[in-house]
Amino acid sequence: MCGRYASFREDQTLADEFAIATVADDVRLLGPSWNVAPTDGVRMVVERADKQTGEVTRQLRVARWGLVPSWAKDPSVGSRMINARVESVTDKPAFARPFATRRALLPADGYYEWKKPGPGATTKRKQPFYLHPEDGEVVALAGLYEFWKDPTKADDDPDRWLVSTTVITRPATDELAHIHDRQPLMLRPEAWDAWLSPATTAGEAAALLDAEPPAIVATPVSTQVNAVANNGPDLVEPVEPEPES
């Protein structure tokens, strides 16, 4: 799964990287994070029609991590939908419709996974790893987003719509499977246009689910990342892993 990641590049840097035309006002309120957690507001890249012109543009927007289906009774279900598996994303009711029409990229600098101690280990503590591109480039996590209307709010209430997102995951590569059996689906720049385009059909988008991931480096980091209250550059600094025996 992907349950924690880092996204600390500046908004303008991301705008340049992803050729973004519009940066939403609330994006600038988020700030950098070295410990993005479920239900947090996150930055996402989407292609949608501009409200003023109707022209489809690439935008940087904010969504809550944990997808809330449009038919959900309340938003609490989102905490159980932070990830969507490639094996079922095209047909699971919560994900099939957004997969066909509302695909997103979630910019990240890297993500975290926790390795369980091996057989015979004297410690029960999991070792966190920061997994990041070998070349230092931005990571584009493949995601979906959805709109949920709060039935308790009036139609003219600006907070009546909740925008939420999920990260698609795939089986881990052989190089990373010793840490965790899943990893986020990471798309290379040559796939971004097709993934984001509203003109891309669900069948065409499904072909991108087998995309080759970028080369990833696994760096052992401090257990400080275990607590969502901790947030800072020190979380991605390498440490000596705790001995298992």
Side-chain angles (χ1 to χ4, degrees):
M1 65 175 292
C2 175
R4 211 79 67 76
Y5 68 94
S7 182
F8 47 78
R9 299 195 189 208
E10 295 183 354
D11 299 332
Q12 188 56 55
T13 300
L14 294 179
D16 295 340
E17 290 266 9
F18 289 90
I20 289 167
T22 304
V23 177
D25 291 340
D26 53 353
V27 169
R28 307 190 189 282
L29 300 177
L30 284 182
S33 178
W34 288 262
N35 202 357
V36 180
T39 73
D40 282 353
V42 300
R43 296 178 291 185
M44 70 173 185
V45 181
V46 298
E47 288 191 359
R48 292 191 57 80
D50 185 272
K51 291 183 179 180
Q52 304 297 327
T53 66
E55 178 185 0
V56 174
T57 61
R58 187 165 296 181
Q59 306 168 18
L60 188 63
R61 294 195 165 275
V62 173
R64 193 175 82 167
W65 187 12
L67 191 135
V68 180
S70 59
W71 38 262
K73 292 182 178 180
D74 64 76
S76 63
V77 67
S79 62
R80 302 193 300 274
M81 295 192 182
I82 64 169
N83 292 157
R85 299 169 69 95
V86 293
E87 296 89 342
S88 57
V89 70
T90 60
D91 51 28
K92 191 171 182 179
F95 303 131
R97 189 166 68 173
F99 180 80
T101 60
R102 287 182 287 278
R103 295 177 296 272
L105 294 173
L106 279 64
D109 291 275
Y111 66 99
Y112 300 98
E113 287 294 359
W114 283 257
K115 182 180 179 180
K116 295 180 180 179
T122 57
T123 179
K124 295 183 179 180
R125 180 181 293 184
K126 295 180 181 180
Q127 173 62 53
F129 282 82
Y130 177 56
L131 298 109
H132 51 100
E134 188 175 49
D135 59 10
E137 295 296 319
V138 68
V139 176
L141 308 180
L144 312 174
Y145 67 103
E146 186 59 282
F147 295 95
W148 180 79
K149 186 177 181 180
D150 189 338
T152 67
K153 290 183 168 58
D155 286 345
D156 59 352
D157 188 329
D159 295 326
R160 71 189 183 283
W161 288 102
L162 171 67
V163 184
S164 60
T165 187
T166 187
V167 174
I168 299 176
T169 66
R170 47 155 287 174
T173 61
D174 292 342
E175 294 80 8
L176 300 178
H178 71 286
I179 296 175
H180 197 278
D181 63 350
R182 306 288 297 182
Q183 68 181 70
L185 175 63
M186 295 169 278
L187 297 181
R188 295 173 182 266
E190 55 267 27
W192 294 353
D193 290 350
W195 181 258
L196 293 173
S197 174
T200 299
T201 66
E204 292 167 338
L208 299 174
L209 296 177
D210 294 324
E212 186 72 16
I216 295 295
V217 174
T219 300
V221 293
S222 167
T223 53
Q224 289 186 64
V225 73
N226 296 0
V228 297
N230 296 329
N231 199 332
D234 55 315
L235 296 184
V236 301
E237 291 297 320
V239 301
E240 284 293 326
E242 182 177 333
E244 293 190 4
S245 60

